[in-house]
Amino acid sequence: MKALCWYGKHDVRVETVPDPTLLNPRDAIIKITSAAICGSDLHLYDGYIPTMEKGDILGHENMGEVVELGTEVRHFRKGDRVVVPFTISCGRCFFCEKQLWSLCDNSNPNARKAEKLYGYTPAGMFGYSHMMGGYAGGQAEYLRVPFADVGLLKVPQELTDDKVLFLSDILPTGYMAAENCQIEPGDTVAVWGCGPVGQFSIQCARLLGAERVIAIDDEPERLALAEKAGTAETLNVDDDDILEKLKDMTGGRGPDSCIDAVGMEAHGMTPDAVLDRVKTSTLLGTDRPHVLRQAIHACRKGGTVSVPGVYGGFADKIPLGQVVNKGLTLKSGQTHVHRYMRPLLDKILADEIDPSFIITHRMSLDDAPHGYEIFQKHQDNCIKIVLKPALGTGLAFQSEPAAAQFDLTGGARFEYQTQEIGGGFLCHKFH
Ligand SMILES: NC(=O)c1ccc[n+]([C@@H]2O[C@H](COP(=O)([O-])OP(=O)(O)OC[C@H]3O[C@@H](n4cnc5c(N)ncnc54)[C@H](O)[C@@H]3O)[C@@H](O)[C@H]2O)c1
Ligand SMILES: [Zn+2]
Ligand SMILES: [Zn+2]
């Protein structure tokens, strides 16, 4: 099959690799119809996550069609359309039983590697380094999914891929980020980062009752989307003194909660941000926690700082004195995706949320290296890319079905028709 493989910093390639096979009785094999590129993939692309190996297949925001089932999978049949959560969970361990799915004790075969860095291992994850299990990702034609009965979410045919794909990661991530803020009526929530995770954090903060949301980024089109789709007020890092403005906008008290939807690759020109950059580029540090510092500083006394943004190792100069003396609550974690998939699917079905608004690009798998580049550089107004592995280069992908027939010179007949693949119509040519 074809798959998008990691080869090093800013080097990803589409290669032909062996098809996945069933390894365990609780596995399923999925034919991928849509796989998104996540901001977390950029941490791999930028070379920040250790224990990657050349040839590793990326991709953890996946959905598709079940094509093979292990003997112990009970709840699915071939042909089912499913969304795959990005963390892998056994469903039976201490942590799974507590609904702490991203902390599953049984899904990381390389637990020892993660324990060295973190003390205890988190759950295994698709396409996210050997420390996280070395599982192949789904930016590929096929994907092996362990513990299929526990993780897979069957989705109704009437919903397009575009509407349900983000149940695999970023919609639950935005939801958990907002839920962690314990929003009360009248609250103001400040959200750093207006990438996909920030956009969903904003929407979910609204769903959970925030009166005001203040969105912060340095990309005008991302801020514009936050304003339009999330009715957020916006601050541009390049033009505004963020801390002063947040104070002004909240009567001097500070936002009730602050969400860091940026993580370890924050940019900025403040002295601490410049120092972070020097440290990480000289291997004296692993993370650039400028936004986390700012969020802690800005948050009102007794407020919550919620951190969906990913940090990998050790972060310097975190103002812990502020956390203690302002009585802040700090909440974080890889998302317990399984916990949120079904309730959020219900919200999509009820038209309370349509996650497809963040998609700016759809591409074939062959075009994925270009996709990574424009997503990382924020070119072409790129906010979210969905890869369509069933789509060949140069074949058109469109939102409406179509068919046509032509008689060609010489008597040949050319027939053209579209086939529905998740979220749209792929043009097929038949002679
Ligand atoms: N916890 C989880 O389970 C989970 C799941 C998915 C993604 N994530 C993480 O969430 C973070 C965001 O993901 P994404 O897909 O939205 O990524 P993204 O790279 O598209 O978005 C990050 C945004 O942060 C902005 N930014 C950078 N520096 C900033 C600053 N100083 N102030 C304000 N904004 C700044 C960037 O301009 C960009 O718009 C990443 O760290 C990703 O790894 C976590
Ligand atoms: Zn992700
Ligand atoms: Zn478990």
Side-chain angles (χ1 to χ4, degrees):
M1 67 166 182
K2 274 198 284 189
L4 193 272
C5 303
W6 183 95
Y7 274 85
K9 188 174 173 182
H10 301 164
D11 182 1
V12 290
R13 307 174 196 170
V14 178
E15 300 211 312
T16 301
V17 301
D19 288 357
T21 51
L22 297 171
L23 295 182
N24 296 303
R26 296 170 72 189
D27 288 352
I29 306 286
I30 310 297
K31 183 177 200 283
I32 298 290
T33 53
S34 296
I37 305 178
C38 178
S40 299
D41 291 325
L42 293 181
H43 305 322
L44 305 170
Y45 186 68
D46 292 337
Y48 277 97
I49 304 289
T51 73
M52 289 296 291
E53 291 176 15
K54 289 188 192 322
D56 284 350
I57 301 172
L58 302 187
H60 60 268
E61 299 187 356
N62 306 312
M63 70 173 292
E65 180 190 326
V66 175
V67 290
E68 274 187 72
L69 289 167
T71 52
E72 285 180 25
V73 180
R74 299 276 174 266
H75 304 312
F76 294 92
R77 294 197 193 298
K78 285 184 191 175
D80 282 349
R81 219 167 134 239
V82 290
V83 177
V84 188
F86 78 91
T87 54
I88 301 168
S89 311
C90 77
R92 295 178 185 166
C93 72
F94 175 87
F95 295 96
C96 285
E97 286 188 349
K98 282 188 173 299
Q99 305 270 307
L100 298 169
W101 305 95
S102 70
L103 304 175
C104 175
D105 247 349
N106 284 332
S107 60
N108 185 354
N110 298 331
R112 296 286 169 272
K113 284 190 183 166
E115 284 168 4
K116 274 193 192 143
L117 192 57
Y118 299 138
Y120 302 93
T121 183
M125 284 179 212
F126 291 103
Y128 219 77
S129 84
H130 288 263
M131 187 172 78
M132 297 301 184
Y135 289 99
Q139 288 166 10
E141 289 177 289
Y142 295 92
L143 174 72
R144 178 179 76 93
V145 180
F147 308 119
D149 275 335
V150 180
L152 293 180
L153 175 76
K154 191 171 164 180
V155 288
Q157 290 299 340
E158 70 261 27
L159 293 177
T160 59
D161 277 27
D162 288 358
K163 278 201 175 174
V164 291
L165 172 62
F166 304 127
L167 289 168
S168 59
D169 177 352
I170 51 174
L171 178 56
T173 296
Y175 194 87
M176 186 166 114
E179 191 182 65
N180 278 342
C181 293
Q182 294 168 302
I183 294 167
E184 294 176 1
D187 271 6
T188 298
V189 179
V191 179
W192 277 255
C194 295
V197 170
Q199 300 288 345
F200 285 140
S201 301
I202 292 165
Q203 298 248 320
C204 294
R206 279 256 180 264
L207 273 177
L208 291 169
E211 186 170 310
R212 291 172 74 195
V213 180
I214 303 170
I216 305 158
D217 204 302
D218 59 1
E219 290 290 342
E221 57 291 336
R222 292 181 177 216
L223 287 168
L225 185 64
E227 197 174 335
K228 185 168 146 240
T231 55
E233 297 159 66
T234 58
L235 293 177
N236 189 323
V237 177
D238 290 339
D239 309 331
D240 299 311
D241 180 331
I242 300 299
L243 294 174
E244 275 307 307
K245 283 271 180 175
L246 285 174
K247 228 178 200 172
D248 287 352
M249 292 165 87
T250 54
R253 194 164 62 195
D256 301 285
S257 39
C258 294
I259 297 179
D260 170 359
V262 178
M264 66 197 291
E265 294 190 65
H267 32 84
M269 290 312 290
T270 56
D272 69 305
V274 172
L275 189 62
D276 287 342
R277 190 171 285 281
V278 171
K279 280 189 172 167
T280 50
S281 59
T282 53
L283 300 178
L284 287 172
T286 56
D287 299 62
R288 307 202 304 255
H290 163 65
V291 161
L292 181 56
R293 291 187 200 107
Q294 215 167 47
I296 291 172
H297 196 95
C299 196
R300 77 149 160 81
K301 292 184 281 183
T304 299
V305 176
S306 164
V307 188
V310 161
Y311 290 89
F314 302 90
D316 275 353
K317 309 232 170 353
I318 301 301
L320 205 55
Q322 296 194 26
V323 174
V324 174
N325 290 295
K326 292 201 294 181
L328 301 182
T329 301
L330 207 55
K331 287 205 163 193
S332 187
Q334 298 287 358
T335 305
H336 303 300
V337 183
H338 300 54
R339 196 199 286 174
Y340 300 100
M341 286 175 101
R342 193 162 294 278
L344 288 171
L345 174 64
D346 290 342
K347 288 194 188 301
I348 294 170
L349 279 165
D351 270 338
E352 282 177 53
I353 186 163
D354 176 358
S356 60
F357 76 94
I358 56 165
I359 302 174
T360 51
H361 293 70
R362 294 177 187 81
M363 291 182 187
S364 74
L365 190 59
D366 293 315
D367 293 329
H370 170 66
Y372 270 81
E373 192 178 346
I374 62 168
F375 182 44
Q376 194 259 359
K377 293 182 175 161
H378 296 185
Q379 289 170 343
D380 196 21
N381 291 339
C382 180
I383 297 180
K384 190 72 177 179
I385 297 174
V386 177
L387 301 172
K388 300 280 183 185
L391 185 67
T393 312
L395 283 179
F397 185 70
Q398 55 192 61
S399 57
E400 298 295 326
Q405 298 175 350
F406 309 98
D407 286 322
L408 300 174
T409 43
R413 191 162 173 75
F414 177 79
E415 290 186 16
Y416 155 102
Q417 73 181 64
T418 52
Q419 177 203 1
E420 187 168 9
I421 63 167
F425 296 85
L426 171 65
C427 298
H428 271 279
K429 291 173 191 166
F430 302 105
H431 289 272

